[in-house]
């Protein structure tokens, strides 16, 4: 009987943890950055509803073979830390939720989003 209760409690705790973390794993909104391709053309990338709490190496700029991205713009409901190197290394800067586009001088190769800001109009 005790084993059954322990298993039931463990399964209940697991189900509760999964249901709580599912909605909190992504920032709501979009994150944008620019980069220049091999031809020198400026391109823009958008990350819709990016995952929170994990390092994201940014497309087309995550290697030293390519110039870094620039002018990040955080239109999500979460704070984001942008990094000058891949794997969330190097110099870092914090961008507030629904902030203005950063300068072209702010270079970026990876990002990490915090949990969405509670009570923010865009927070779910």
């Amino acid at each position: 009987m005790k084993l059954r209760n322990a298993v039931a409690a463990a399964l209940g705790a697991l189900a509760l943890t999964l249901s709580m973390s599912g909605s909190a794993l992504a920032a709501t909104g979009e994150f944008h950055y620019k980069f220049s391709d091999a031809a020198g053309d400026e391109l823009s990338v958008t990350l819709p509803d990016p995952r929170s709490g994990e390092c994201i190496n940014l497309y087309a700029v995550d290697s030293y073979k390519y110039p870094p991205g620039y002018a990040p713009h955080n239109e999500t409901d979460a704070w984001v830390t942008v990094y000058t190197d891949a794997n969330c290394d190097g110099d870092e800067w914090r961008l507030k939720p629904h902030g203005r586009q950063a300068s072209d001088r702010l270079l970026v190769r990876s990002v990490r989003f915090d949990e969405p800001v509670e009570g923010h109009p865009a927070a779910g």
Side-chain angles (χ1 to χ4, degrees):
M1 192 66 147
K2 289 182 182 181
L3 179 60
R4 187 180 336 158
N5 289 341
V7 170
L11 289 175
L14 177 62
L16 181 60
T17 301
L18 292 176
S19 68
M20 289 174 56
S21 63
S23 62
L25 288 178
T28 300
E30 296 178 335
F31 177 82
H32 312 274
Y33 65 98
K34 299 175 184 178
F35 72 98
S36 295
D37 67 7
D41 294 326
E42 182 175 87
L43 302 172
S44 181
V45 175
T46 298
L47 300 177
D49 299 332
R51 292 185 59 83
S52 300
E54 64 185 46
C55 183
I56 302 170
N57 287 322
L58 298 176
Y59 169 77
V61 298
D62 62 343
S63 168
Y64 285 104
K65 293 186 237 176
Y66 313 107
Y70 54 91
H73 186 189
N74 184 20
E75 292 186 313
T76 72
D77 60 350
W79 283 86
V80 63
T81 305
V82 298
Y83 298 86
T84 56
D85 295 331
N87 303 314
C88 295
D89 286 329
D91 293 335
E92 60 186 68
W93 286 268
R94 302 266 294 155
L95 301 178
K96 68 181 182 175
H98 297 287
R100 294 183 179 192
Q101 179 175 321
S103 163
D104 286 358
R105 292 177 291 155
L106 181 53
L107 305 180
V108 60
R109 290 190 189 273
S110 58
V111 297
R112 183 184 317 270
F113 290 85
D114 292 345
E115 295 294 324
V117 177
E118 289 293 322
H120 193 281

